[in-house]
């Protein structure tokens, strides 16, 4: 039961709710992964990679809040609990311990690639049922793709 009356039909709400919840999970995990790597990166490019990771964290946190609030606005309870994120994220395991700068960059390229692929799928399924949610997903995907480009340039 929802305390918020959704403007969407039940079928559309299911589709959009699943897309937004999946986006939330991936964004929360992306922020955690980027911060974990940020704390442990080392190597000759430490400073530039370290600062770049904080930009990803800021982006993930900003967009995760927007996505969660959109969930609430359409009557879906957002779930960013650790167990939910761990069970549903598209991002692979993050290495523990110190991480060489080249490995840090590769970790973020892979993480961003996984999240972006799923975001693009979510964009495709939300267009007809809810262009407002789709617009949010498009904007956040553009920001993630910019980060992916910058990390890929680091690994060239």
């Amino acid at each position: 039961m929802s305390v918020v009356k959704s403007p969407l039909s039940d079928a559309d709400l299911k589709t959009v709710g699943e897309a937004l919840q999946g986006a939330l999970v991936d964004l929360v995990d992306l922020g955690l992964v980027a911060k974990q790597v940020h704390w442990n990166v080392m190597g000759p490019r430490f400073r530039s990679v370290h600062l770049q990771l904080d930009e990803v964290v800021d982006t993930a946190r900003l967009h995760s809040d927007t996505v969660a609030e959109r969930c609430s606005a359409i009557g879906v309870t957002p779930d960013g609990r650790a167990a939910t994120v761990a069970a549903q994220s598209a991002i692979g395991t993050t290495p523990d311990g110190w991480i060489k700068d080249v490995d840090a960059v590769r970790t973020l390229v892979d993480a961003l690639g996984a999240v972006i692929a799923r975001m693009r799928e979510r964009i495709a399924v939300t267009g007809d049922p809810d262009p407002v949610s789709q617009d949010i997903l498009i904007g956040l995907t553009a920001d993630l793709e910019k980060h992916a480009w910058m990390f890929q340039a680091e690994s060239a």
Side-chain angles (χ1 to χ4, degrees):
M1 180 182 119
S2 175
V3 296
V4 176
K5 172 121 175 72
S6 179
L8 305 177
S9 70
D10 288 345
D12 288 349
L13 185 61
K14 182 179 184 326
T15 298
V16 175
E18 288 174 358
L20 291 172
Q21 177 58 39
L24 177 61
V25 162
D26 285 346
L27 289 166
V28 169
D29 200 24
L30 180 62
L32 292 170
V33 166
K35 191 49 96 170
Q36 180 67 26
V37 175
H38 165 91
W39 292 325
N40 291 289
V41 67
M42 59 177 225
R45 296 182 302 166
F46 162 81
R47 181 157 174 76
S48 65
V49 173
H50 184 80
L51 295 173
Q52 196 172 350
L53 287 161
D54 263 344
E55 293 173 7
V56 173
V57 171
D58 291 345
T59 296
R61 288 179 179 167
L62 172 71
H63 287 299
S64 64
D65 193 53
T66 301
V67 167
E69 289 177 355
R70 180 64 185 163
C71 283
S72 295
I74 64 169
V76 173
T77 49
D79 186 355
R81 295 173 298 164
T84 302
V85 172
Q88 297 176 7
S89 175
I91 301 172
T93 305
T94 304
D96 63 348
W98 301 115
I99 304 170
K100 292 182 182 182
D101 52 7
V102 295
D103 296 330
V105 168
R106 173 57 39 209
T107 297
L108 262 291
V109 167
D110 292 346
L112 285 161
V115 172
I116 289 165
R118 290 190 3 162
M119 291 300 178
R120 287 188 158 274
E121 292 170 3
R122 294 173 184 128
I123 289 167
V125 300
T126 56
D128 287 334
D130 187 18
V132 176
S133 294
Q134 183 192 47
D135 186 56
I136 290 168
L137 295 172
I138 289 169
L140 75 86
T141 301
D143 288 347
L144 296 177
E145 287 178 347
K146 182 176 180 182
H147 287 300
W149 157 57
M150 292 184 175
F151 274 104
Q152 288 174 40
E154 284 274 349
S155 64

